[in-house]
Amino acid sequence: MACFERASPALKQILLQLYRADKPLAVEHHLHEFGSLQYHIQSYVSEAHHVYLSISTPILSTGSSILYGFPHYTIETVKGICHEVVQIVEPAKTGYQLTLKLDFSKIPRKKDAVKIITEISSVQAVILSSQLRELLKNVNAQDISQGTYKPIKLVYHPNEPFYVVKQPAKLTAVFPIRFKEHSDIVIAKAFFQELVDVGNSGVCARAPPCYWSPIPPPELRGEPMKDLSTNGGFVSFEISARHIEGKKLDKTVWNLLNFNALVKYHVKCTKGFVQRRMRSRLESLVEALQRTGTEEDHNVVKVKG
C-alpha cells in the first residue's frame, strides 16, 4: 500500500523501539514499501548506541537520462537531516544506494527524540525532494525561447512519467493518467471532476488550481506521442510562489511525487467500497426473499390444516 506521509510509519516504529530499548539488541529488519522502496535496519549488541539504516529507492530522473546513484547535492541534503546523529557509511551496504549510521546516544532523552527519529524516517522524502528541487533550479534559460517554455519530463515510477513546466509566475505540473481497466477510468474521471469542482468553489482557495482534460494541454505540445497516449486524460496543477515558500516547498514536492499513487489508492478504495455495498445489498435481498419464502410456506401449511 502506498504511504503518503513523508516519514515511513513502519521505519519510524522500528527506530523508536530500538531507541527506547532497555538494553542493546541484535536485530535485522527488511522493509518493502510502495514503489520498489526498500529499507534494511540492523543493530548489534556490541554497538550499544548504533543502528545501521540502508535504503534502496527509485531515483527521480529526467526522461532523457537515468540515474543509478545519488548526486552530490542529495548526499549533502541527507547529511543535513541531523548531522550529530546521522553519518553516511561508505561504501553502502551491498544492494542499497545509501547506508546511514545512526548514533542514538546523541539524541536527547526528551520530546525532541520523536521529532528527530521522525526526520530520519523521512529520508526517502528528503532524497526525492532534493532531486526535484535541483532539477527545477537547473532549468536552462536557453529552454525558454519566443515565450515557449519547454516541459521537463520526470520519471519516478517507470510507467508513470509526469511533466513540469517552469514559467516566471508559476509552475505547471501535468500528469498523464493511464489505467488497465475501464472501471478504473470511470472512477478516476469522477474523482478528477470532483477535484476541479472543489478547487473552483472557493472552499480550497489557497490550494493550487486543478484542471482535467481528456486531451493533452497546450504545455505538452510537441512531446512524443507515446507519452501523450492515455485513457484517463491529463491532470494539471498550477503552482505559484506561495505554494513553495519556506517549508511548503517540501510538502508540495512530496504531494506531486505521490499524486499518481494517490489516484490509484482512491480508485482501489472506491471499488472496494462499491463492492461491499453491492454485497451487503445482495445479502439483504437474499434474506428478504428467504423470509418471504418461509412466510409463504407457513401460510400454505395453515391453509392445508
Side-chain angles (χ1 to χ4, degrees):
M1 181 180 292
C3 172
F4 304 113
E5 299 178 24
R6 283 177 56 82
S8 165
L11 177 59
K12 179 179 175 180
Q13 181 181 2
I14 292 173
L15 294 180
L16 283 174
Q17 288 176 346
L18 293 172
Y19 172 74
R20 292 167 175 168
D22 296 329
K23 60 181 181 179
L25 301 175
V27 299
E28 184 175 10
H29 291 281
H30 295 267
L31 295 180
H32 297 262
E33 295 188 350
F34 179 81
S36 303
L37 171 62
Q38 297 182 43
Y39 295 107
H40 178 266
I41 307 100
Q42 191 163 18
S43 63
Y44 304 91
V45 174
S46 58
E47 298 186 45
H49 301 292
H50 294 155
V51 173
Y52 293 86
L53 169 62
S54 299
I55 180 173
S56 174
T57 178
I59 299 178
L60 184 67
S61 62
T62 61
S64 59
S65 64
I66 299 177
L67 301 177
Y68 296 96
F70 294 142
H72 175 72
Y73 58 81
T74 297
I75 296 297
E76 292 301 314
T77 304
V78 172
K79 288 180 180 179
I81 293 177
C82 187
H83 66 277
E84 294 182 354
V85 178
V86 178
Q87 177 185 347
I88 294 179
V89 177
E90 295 182 353
K93 182 178 177 64
T94 303
Y96 295 85
Q97 296 145 307
L98 183 68
T99 297
L100 305 178
K101 181 179 180 180
L102 310 179
D103 188 349
F104 282 175
S105 66
K106 300 293 179 63
I107 300 178
R109 295 276 172 179
K110 296 179 181 179
K111 293 181 180 180
D112 289 343
V114 175
K115 180 180 178 181
I116 292 174
I117 289 179
T118 300
E119 291 178 358
I120 295 172
S121 302
S122 306
V123 59
Q124 193 225 10
V126 171
I127 290 170
L128 294 175
S129 297
S130 71
Q131 292 173 355
L132 183 51
R133 283 201 309 268
E134 195 70 15
L135 286 170
L136 295 179
K137 188 171 67 176
N138 289 338
V139 175
N140 196 323
Q142 295 178 356
D143 291 336
I144 303 175
S145 61
Q146 299 179 354
T148 301
Y149 300 86
K150 185 177 179 180
I152 309 170
K153 178 184 175 182
L154 299 177
V155 180
Y156 176 35
H157 300 300
N159 298 322
E160 298 175 353
F162 66 100
Y163 292 87
V164 171
V165 184
K166 189 176 181 183
Q167 302 174 6
K170 65 180 181 179
L171 182 150
T172 303
V174 184
F175 296 86
I177 304 297
R178 300 176 179 86
F179 289 101
K180 294 181 180 179
E181 299 183 15
H182 179 71
S183 59
D184 293 351
I185 301 172
V186 175
I187 295 172
K189 286 184 178 179
F191 174 55
F192 298 148
Q193 190 59 56
E194 185 177 354
L195 277 179
V196 174
D197 292 342
V198 171
N200 293 333
S201 66
V203 177
C204 302
R206 298 184 63 82
C210 175
Y211 306 94
W212 177 82
S213 172
I215 61 175
E219 291 88 350
L220 300 189
R221 191 172 297 151
E223 292 301 310
M225 185 58 65
K226 64 177 182 178
D227 294 335
L228 304 182
S229 300
T230 70
N231 53 15
F234 298 80
V235 179
S236 303
F237 293 95
E238 288 187 358
I239 301 167
S240 60
R242 62 187 175 88
H243 298 126
I244 56 175
E245 58 186 9
K247 295 182 178 180
K248 292 180 181 179
L249 174 60
D250 284 341
K251 185 175 181 180
T252 298
V253 168
W254 185 244
N255 289 337
L256 290 177
L257 291 171
N258 285 279
F259 178 72
N260 265 311
L262 174 63
V263 172
K264 291 185 176 180
Y265 179 74
H266 173 81
V267 169
K268 181 178 180 180
C269 290
T270 302
K271 290 175 70 174
F273 174 76
V274 171
Q275 290 170 355
R276 288 193 299 271
R277 289 292 300 273
M278 292 178 63
R279 189 181 301 115
S280 176
R281 290 188 177 185
L282 179 60
E283 291 173 352
S284 300
L285 178 60
V286 170
E287 291 177 359
L289 291 174
Q290 289 176 342
R291 287 196 300 269
T292 302
T294 302
E295 291 174 358
E296 290 178 352
D297 292 342
H298 182 67
N299 292 335
V300 170
V301 172
K302 287 179 64 178
V303 171
K304 286 184 178 181

